[in-house]
Amino acid sequence: MARSKSLWLLIGWFLAAGAGLLVLQCTGILKHMDLSRLTEWLRESGPLGGLLYIVVYTLRPLVLFPATPLTLYGGYVFGAFWGTIYDIIGAGAGALLSFYITRKWGRHGFQHILRNKKLQSFDQKAEERGFMVVLYMRLMPFFPFDGVSYGAGLSKIRFWDYTWGTLIGIIPGAVVYNVFGASLQDIGSGKFYAAVGMYAVFALVPLLIKRMQAVRARKRA
């Protein structure tokens, strides 16, 4: 009974967070934020601004705010290098927080509804090859970042497999998104078009890999 209650409390939290974001969007509060003033303040604050960005990024999954805009904004505010550093720290901490929450309050309740054989098979593979499973999903941008974090907490993936798979897997995306975010300070420059090209490659490579895997699967069949 207690396990089931914990799961429903977890679901209730996410529903409340989603409703809160919807209210902010519908009331126009987000549109009226003075982003330019906030950007200047963060830049002038130096390490304090970076620390605040890390804290916000760490807590971001709890309110279901999308990761990509915040990552691009980090590159735009702090530049490619420091934006990437802050992003890796904040995204890594947020991913661990998400994993901890669902592992502590959602895993036991999830076990009771885990009846599908395909899900059970994936759960077993996740336990046996957790590091590679997490690393692959972190490297492939078509996997939702928070979905992977929360899903891993519900699975049998070991903590350290998840941790190292996440910390290593988020580096390429952090570099690409922050380089692109930094280039938005000078749209139309050579640096901007180079960043666009890097972003396009990063987005296309996973699709090519997925296509190659589908071709191999058809050949085996």
Side-chain angles (χ1 to χ4, degrees):
M1 184 69 178
R3 292 175 178 177
S4 178
K5 185 178 179 180
S6 296
L7 180 60
W8 282 111
L9 284 173
L10 192 62
I11 293 172
W13 166 259
F14 292 131
L15 290 175
L21 282 179
L22 188 61
V23 169
L24 290 176
Q25 181 65 32
C26 293
T27 55
I29 293 176
L30 292 177
K31 293 181 181 178
H32 289 89
M33 288 181 62
D34 193 340
L35 197 59
S36 60
R37 182 177 294 181
L38 175 61
T39 299
E40 287 303 316
W41 182 84
L42 288 171
R43 286 174 179 164
E44 293 172 0
S45 299
L48 178 61
L51 179 61
L52 179 61
Y53 176 80
I54 290 172
V55 171
V56 170
Y57 212 126
T58 299
L59 300 177
R60 176 202 58 78
L62 300 182
V63 295
L64 304 178
F65 189 84
T68 301
L70 192 58
T71 303
L72 293 172
Y73 183 66
Y76 179 75
V77 174
F78 303 108
F81 178 77
W82 283 111
T84 299
I85 298 298
Y86 295 151
D87 176 38
I88 291 173
I89 297 173
L96 292 178
L97 178 62
S98 304
F99 178 89
Y100 173 79
I101 288 173
T102 48
R103 176 59 57 90
K104 184 173 179 61
W105 287 297
R107 171 64 189 168
H108 294 303
F110 184 70
Q111 283 180 311
H112 293 288
I113 62 174
L114 193 63
R115 297 288 183 268
N116 186 285
K117 290 185 178 180
K118 288 185 178 180
L119 287 176
Q120 290 177 341
S121 176
F122 174 79
D123 203 28
Q124 189 61 38
K125 289 179 181 177
E127 182 180 26
E128 296 170 356
R129 295 179 289 179
F131 171 78
M132 292 306 299
V133 169
V134 175
L135 181 64
Y136 175 78
M137 289 192 291
R138 290 304 191 197
L139 289 172
M140 301 295 105
F142 48 74
F143 286 104
F145 190 87
D146 294 332
V148 173
S149 302
Y150 289 123
L154 294 174
S155 74
K156 292 182 179 179
I157 290 175
R158 297 180 181 89
F159 173 76
W160 286 113
D161 287 341
Y162 171 80
T163 299
W164 289 113
T166 292
L167 294 179
I168 295 172
I170 64 177
I171 292 174
V175 171
V176 170
Y177 284 120
N178 277 279
V179 167
F180 184 70
S183 73
L184 296 176
Q185 298 182 36
D186 195 11
I187 296 176
S189 65
K191 183 174 70 172
F192 171 76
Y193 289 114
V196 171
M198 183 186 296
Y199 180 86
V201 170
F202 182 71
L204 288 174
V205 167
L207 296 177
L208 293 174
I209 293 174
K210 192 174 182 180
R211 185 177 181 85
M212 289 171 60
Q213 289 175 337
V215 171
R216 288 177 183 174
R218 283 198 295 269
K219 286 181 178 179
R220 290 173 184 173

